[in-house]
Amino acid sequence: MSERRAFGVHAILIASSLAMVAPFAWQIITSLKTLSSATQVPPSLLPEGRWDNYAKVFDLLPFGDQFLNTVIMAAGRVTGQVLFCSMAAYAFARLRFPGRNVLFGVFLSVLMVPPQLFVIPQYQIMSSLGWLNSLQAIIVPGLFSAFGVFLLRQFFLGLPRELEEAARLDGAGPVRIYWSIMLPLARPGLVALAVLTLLWAWNDLFWPLVVNTDPDKMTLSAGLAALQGQYQTDYPILMAGSLIASLPVIAVFVFLQRQFIQGIAHTGSKG
């Protein structure tokens, strides 16, 4: 019975894995086709070796500038999220102050508000600051998130209080405890937040498309969206560009996946 159950579990996992990999495999196959073969019915499952589609991406887009913009934007958001969210999370998890639970409830309520509702006021703020078509317009609104505070708060709650109490006996204040003791212990949680923020920032399309209309100031996601025509889209080139843009994020996740899983698992260990 146990062998049958194990076989069934493995079969489900293999089928789920194939279902998740199938779109990525189809993307690779499509990127190596011509437009006519990519849109034919029934579709062909064989690539045609059109490697020049990848070169055309660099001809149609200022790919280098957009890649650099995306890296700077993602790095800025990740740095801000890790720093600001960890400070707020430590305060909510460890410090005692009036209205702490009420204020944290207000933070969590932001998660229930659709992010599209913030677009107009954020756009007006960026416009009044003269930040349209600039990197700071796509970085600053993403420096902080209620989800990041919630994630790290749960992680800080799971850390032993004895270390914090020992540091207080040695004369350390809240800032020293946060920076020298809690942050190093919270490394898996910080990595988890950093990876999630990187994925969110790298794939963010709507906000960069709203505030930056100059192709040289766009991110990769917005630049790739510009390849979609009103009447016709060259899907092989679009898939080739999307594949190139996704490779850095895949590499980061593969490199940090162990710490990412550890951080997510430890986050739910204590509420």
Side-chain angles (χ1 to χ4, degrees), residues 60-106:
L60 296 175
L61 294 176
F63 196 89
D65 292 335
Q66 292 180 357
F67 179 81
L68 181 60
N69 294 338
T70 307
V71 171
I72 295 174
M73 181 265 290
R77 288 189 181 184
V78 169
T79 303
Q81 290 269 343
V82 170
L83 180 61
F84 298 132
C85 292
S86 63
M87 289 192 292
Y90 174 72
F92 282 123
R94 296 302 197 186
L95 302 184
R96 298 288 183 265
F97 54 90
R100 184 187 66 168
N101 294 332
V102 175
L103 184 58
F104 183 67
V106 174

Coordinates of all heavy atoms in Angstrom, one line a residue, residues 60-106:
L60 N 15.8 45.8 -32.4 CA 14.5 46.5 -32.3 C 14.4 47.3 -31.0 O 13.6 48.2 -30.9 CB 13.3 45.5 -32.3 CG 13.2 44.7 -33.7 CD1 12.1 43.6 -33.5 CD2 12.8 45.7 -34.8
L61 N 15.1 46.9 -30.0 CA 15.1 47.6 -28.7 C 16.4 48.1 -28.2 O 17.4 47.5 -28.6 CB 14.5 46.6 -27.6 CG 13.1 46.1 -27.7 CD1 12.8 45.1 -26.6 CD2 12.1 47.2 -27.6
P62 N 16.4 49.2 -27.5 CA 17.7 49.6 -26.8 C 17.9 48.6 -25.6 O 17.8 49.0 -24.4 CB 17.4 51.0 -26.3 CG 16.0 51.1 -26.2 CD 15.4 50.2 -27.2
F63 N 18.2 47.4 -25.9 CA 18.2 46.3 -24.9 C 19.2 46.6 -23.8 O 18.9 46.3 -22.6 CB 18.4 44.9 -25.6 CG 18.1 43.8 -24.7 CD1 16.8 43.2 -24.8 CD2 19.0 43.2 -23.8 CE1 16.5 42.1 -24.0 CE2 18.6 42.1 -23.1 CZ 17.4 41.6 -23.2
G64 N 20.3 47.0 -24.1 CA 21.3 47.3 -23.1 C 20.9 48.3 -22.1 O 21.0 48.1 -20.9
D65 N 20.3 49.4 -22.6 CA 19.9 50.5 -21.7 C 18.7 50.0 -20.8 O 18.6 50.2 -19.6 CB 19.4 51.7 -22.5 CG 20.6 52.4 -23.1 OD1 21.7 52.3 -22.6 OD2 20.4 53.1 -24.2
Q66 N 17.8 49.3 -21.4 CA 16.6 48.8 -20.7 C 17.0 47.7 -19.7 O 16.5 47.6 -18.6 CB 15.6 48.2 -21.6 CG 14.9 49.3 -22.5 CD 13.9 48.8 -23.4 OE1 13.7 47.6 -23.5 NE2 13.2 49.7 -24.2
F67 N 18.0 46.9 -20.0 CA 18.5 45.9 -19.1 C 19.2 46.6 -17.9 O 18.9 46.2 -16.7 CB 19.5 45.0 -19.7 CG 20.1 43.9 -18.8 CD1 19.4 42.8 -18.5 CD2 21.4 44.1 -18.3 CE1 19.9 41.8 -17.7 CE2 21.9 43.1 -17.4 CZ 21.2 42.0 -17.2
L68 N 20.0 47.6 -18.1 CA 20.6 48.4 -17.0 C 19.6 49.0 -16.2 O 19.7 49.0 -14.9 CB 21.6 49.4 -17.6 CG 22.4 50.2 -16.6 CD1 23.2 49.3 -15.7 CD2 23.2 51.3 -17.3
N69 N 18.5 49.6 -16.8 CA 17.5 50.3 -16.0 C 16.8 49.2 -15.1 O 16.4 49.5 -14.0 CB 16.4 50.9 -17.0 CG 17.0 52.1 -17.8 OD1 18.0 52.7 -17.4 ND2 16.4 52.3 -18.9
T70 N 16.6 48.0 -15.6 CA 15.9 47.0 -14.9 C 16.8 46.6 -13.7 O 16.3 46.4 -12.6 CB 15.6 45.8 -15.8 OG1 14.8 46.2 -16.9 CG2 14.7 44.8 -15.0
V71 N 18.0 46.4 -13.9 CA 19.0 46.0 -12.9 C 19.0 47.1 -11.8 O 18.9 46.7 -10.6 CB 20.4 45.8 -13.4 CG1 21.4 45.6 -12.3 CG2 20.4 44.5 -14.3
I72 N 19.1 48.3 -12.1 CA 19.2 49.4 -11.2 C 17.9 49.5 -10.4 O 17.8 49.7 -9.2 CB 19.5 50.8 -11.8 CG1 20.9 50.7 -12.5 CG2 19.4 51.9 -10.9 CD1 21.2 52.0 -13.3
M73 N 16.7 49.4 -11.1 CA 15.4 49.4 -10.4 C 15.2 48.3 -9.5 O 14.8 48.5 -8.3 CB 14.3 49.4 -11.5 CG 12.9 49.5 -11.0 SD 12.2 47.8 -10.8 CE 11.9 47.4 -12.5
A74 N 15.6 47.1 -9.9 CA 15.4 45.9 -9.1 C 16.4 46.0 -7.9 O 16.0 45.7 -6.7 CB 15.7 44.6 -9.8
A75 N 17.6 46.4 -8.1 CA 18.5 46.5 -6.9 C 18.1 47.6 -5.9 O 18.2 47.4 -4.7 CB 19.9 46.9 -7.5
G76 N 17.5 48.7 -6.4 CA 17.0 49.7 -5.5 C 15.9 49.3 -4.7 O 15.8 49.5 -3.5
R77 N 14.9 48.6 -5.4 CA 13.8 48.1 -4.6 C 14.1 47.0 -3.6 O 13.6 47.0 -2.5 CB 12.7 47.5 -5.6 CG 12.0 48.6 -6.5 CD 10.9 48.0 -7.2 NE 10.2 48.9 -8.1 CZ 9.1 48.6 -8.8 NH1 8.6 47.4 -8.8 NH2 8.5 49.6 -9.5
V78 N 15.0 46.1 -4.0 CA 15.4 45.0 -3.1 C 16.1 45.6 -1.9 O 15.8 45.2 -0.7 CB 16.4 44.0 -3.8 CG1 17.0 43.1 -2.8 CG2 15.6 43.2 -4.8
T79 N 17.0 46.6 -2.1 CA 17.7 47.2 -1.0 C 16.8 47.9 -0.1 O 16.8 47.8 1.2 CB 18.8 48.2 -1.5 OG1 19.7 47.5 -2.4 CG2 19.6 48.8 -0.4
G80 N 15.8 48.7 -0.6 CA 14.9 49.4 0.2 C 13.9 48.5 1.0 O 13.7 48.7 2.2
Q81 N 13.5 47.4 0.3 CA 12.6 46.5 1.0 C 13.3 45.8 2.1 O 12.7 45.7 3.2 CB 12.1 45.4 0.0 CG 11.1 46.0 -1.1 CD 9.7 45.9 -0.7 OE1 9.3 45.1 0.3 NE2 8.8 46.6 -1.3
V82 N 14.5 45.3 1.9 CA 15.2 44.6 3.0 C 15.5 45.5 4.1 O 15.3 45.1 5.3 CB 16.5 44.0 2.4 CG1 17.4 43.5 3.5 CG2 16.2 42.9 1.4
L83 N 15.9 46.8 3.9 CA 16.2 47.7 4.9 C 15.0 48.2 5.7 O 14.8 48.0 6.9 CB 17.0 48.9 4.4 CG 17.5 49.9 5.4 CD1 18.4 49.3 6.4 CD2 18.2 51.1 4.7
F84 N 14.1 48.8 5.0 CA 12.9 49.5 5.6 C 11.9 48.4 6.2 O 11.4 48.6 7.3 CB 12.2 50.4 4.6 CG 13.1 51.5 4.1 CD1 13.1 51.8 2.8 CD2 13.8 52.3 5.0 CE1 13.9 52.9 2.3 CE2 14.6 53.3 4.6 CZ 14.7 53.6 3.2
C85 N 11.7 47.4 5.4 CA 10.7 46.4 6.0 C 11.3 45.6 7.2 O 10.5 45.3 8.1 CB 10.4 45.4 4.9 SG 9.4 46.1 3.5
S86 N 12.6 45.4 7.2 CA 13.2 44.7 8.4 C 13.1 45.6 9.6 O 12.9 45.2 10.7 CB 14.6 44.3 8.1 OG 15.4 45.5 7.8
M87 N 13.3 47.0 9.4 CA 13.2 47.9 10.6 C 11.8 47.9 11.1 O 11.6 47.8 12.3 CB 13.7 49.3 10.2 CG 15.2 49.4 9.9 SD 15.8 51.1 9.8 CE 15.0 51.6 8.2
A88 N 10.8 48.0 10.2 CA 9.4 48.0 10.7 C 9.0 46.7 11.3 O 8.3 46.7 12.3 CB 8.5 48.4 9.5
A89 N 9.5 45.6 10.7 CA 9.1 44.3 11.2 C 9.7 44.0 12.6 O 9.1 43.5 13.5 CB 9.6 43.2 10.2
Y90 N 11.0 44.5 12.8 CA 11.6 44.3 14.1 C 10.8 45.1 15.1 O 10.6 44.7 16.3 CB 13.1 44.8 14.0 CG 13.7 44.8 15.4 CD1 14.0 43.6 16.0 CD2 14.0 46.0 16.0 CE1 14.7 43.6 17.3 CE2 14.6 46.0 17.3 CZ 14.9 44.8 17.9 OH 15.5 44.8 19.1
A91 N 10.4 46.3 14.8 CA 9.7 47.1 15.7 C 8.3 46.5 16.1 O 7.9 46.4 17.3 CB 9.4 48.5 15.1
F92 N 7.6 45.9 15.1 CA 6.3 45.3 15.4 C 6.5 44.0 16.2 O 5.6 43.6 16.9 CB 5.6 45.0 14.1 CG 4.9 46.2 13.5 CD1 5.2 46.7 12.2 CD2 4.0 47.0 14.3 CE1 4.6 47.8 11.7 CE2 3.4 48.1 13.8 CZ 3.7 48.5 12.5
A93 N 7.6 43.3 16.0 CA 7.8 42.0 16.6 C 8.4 42.1 18.0 O 8.1 41.3 18.9 CB 8.7 41.1 15.7
R94 N 9.3 43.0 18.2 CA 10.1 43.1 19.5 C 9.8 44.3 20.4 O 10.0 44.1 21.6 CB 11.6 43.0 19.1 CG 12.0 41.7 18.4 CD 11.7 40.5 19.3 NE 12.4 39.3 18.8 CZ 12.2 38.1 19.3 NH1 11.3 37.9 20.2 NH2 12.9 37.1 18.8
L95 N 9.5 45.4 19.8 CA 9.4 46.6 20.6 C 8.0 46.7 21.1 O 7.0 46.3 20.5 CB 9.8 47.8 19.8 CG 11.2 47.9 19.2 CD1 11.4 49.2 18.5 CD2 12.2 47.6 20.3
R96 N 7.8 47.3 22.3 CA 6.5 47.6 22.9 C 6.2 49.1 22.9 O 7.0 49.9 23.4 CB 6.5 47.1 24.4 CG 6.8 45.6 24.5 CD 5.6 44.8 24.1 NE 5.8 43.4 24.3 CZ 6.2 42.5 23.4 NH1 6.5 43.0 22.2 NH2 6.3 41.2 23.7
F97 N 5.1 49.4 22.2 CA 4.7 50.8 22.1 C 3.2 50.9 22.0 O 2.6 49.9 21.5 CB 5.4 51.6 21.0 CG 5.2 50.9 19.6 CD1 4.2 51.2 18.8 CD2 6.2 50.0 19.2 CE1 4.0 50.7 17.6 CE2 6.0 49.4 17.9 CZ 4.9 49.7 17.1
P98 N 2.6 52.0 22.4 CA 1.1 52.1 22.4 C 0.6 52.0 20.9 O 1.1 52.6 20.0 CB 0.9 53.5 23.0 CG 2.1 53.8 23.8 CD 3.2 53.1 23.1
G99 N -0.5 51.2 20.8 CA -1.1 51.1 19.5 C -0.4 50.2 18.5 O -0.6 50.3 17.3
R100 N 0.5 49.4 19.0 CA 1.3 48.5 18.1 C 0.4 47.6 17.3 O 0.6 47.5 16.0 CB 2.3 47.7 18.9 CG 3.3 46.9 18.0 CD 4.2 46.0 18.8 NE 3.4 45.0 19.5 CZ 4.0 43.9 20.1 NH1 5.3 43.8 20.1 NH2 3.2 43.0 20.7
N101 N -0.5 46.9 17.9 CA -1.3 45.9 17.2 C -2.3 46.6 16.3 O -2.6 46.1 15.2 CB -2.1 45.1 18.2 CG -1.2 44.2 19.1 OD1 -0.1 43.8 18.6 ND2 -1.6 43.9 20.3
V102 N -2.8 47.8 16.7 CA -3.7 48.5 15.8 C -3.0 49.0 14.6 O -3.5 48.9 13.4 CB -4.3 49.7 16.5 CG1 -5.2 50.6 15.6 CG2 -5.1 49.2 17.7
L103 N -1.8 49.5 14.7 CA -1.0 50.0 13.6 C -0.6 48.9 12.7 O -0.6 49.0 11.4 CB 0.3 50.7 14.1 CG 1.1 51.4 13.0 CD1 0.4 52.4 12.2 CD2 2.4 52.0 13.7
F104 N -0.3 47.7 13.3 CA 0.1 46.6 12.4 C -1.2 46.1 11.7 O -1.1 45.6 10.5 CB 0.6 45.4 13.3 CG 1.1 44.2 12.5 CD1 2.2 44.3 11.7 CD2 0.4 43.0 12.6 CE1 2.6 43.2 10.9 CE2 0.8 41.9 11.9 CZ 1.9 42.0 11.0
G105 N -2.3 46.1 12.3 CA -3.6 45.8 11.5 C -3.8 46.7 10.4 O -4.3 46.3 9.3
V106 N -3.5 48.0 10.5 CA -3.6 49.0 9.4 C -2.7 48.6 8.3 O -3.0 48.7 7.1 CB -3.3 50.4 9.9 CG1 -3.3 51.4 8.8 CG2 -4.4 50.8 10.9

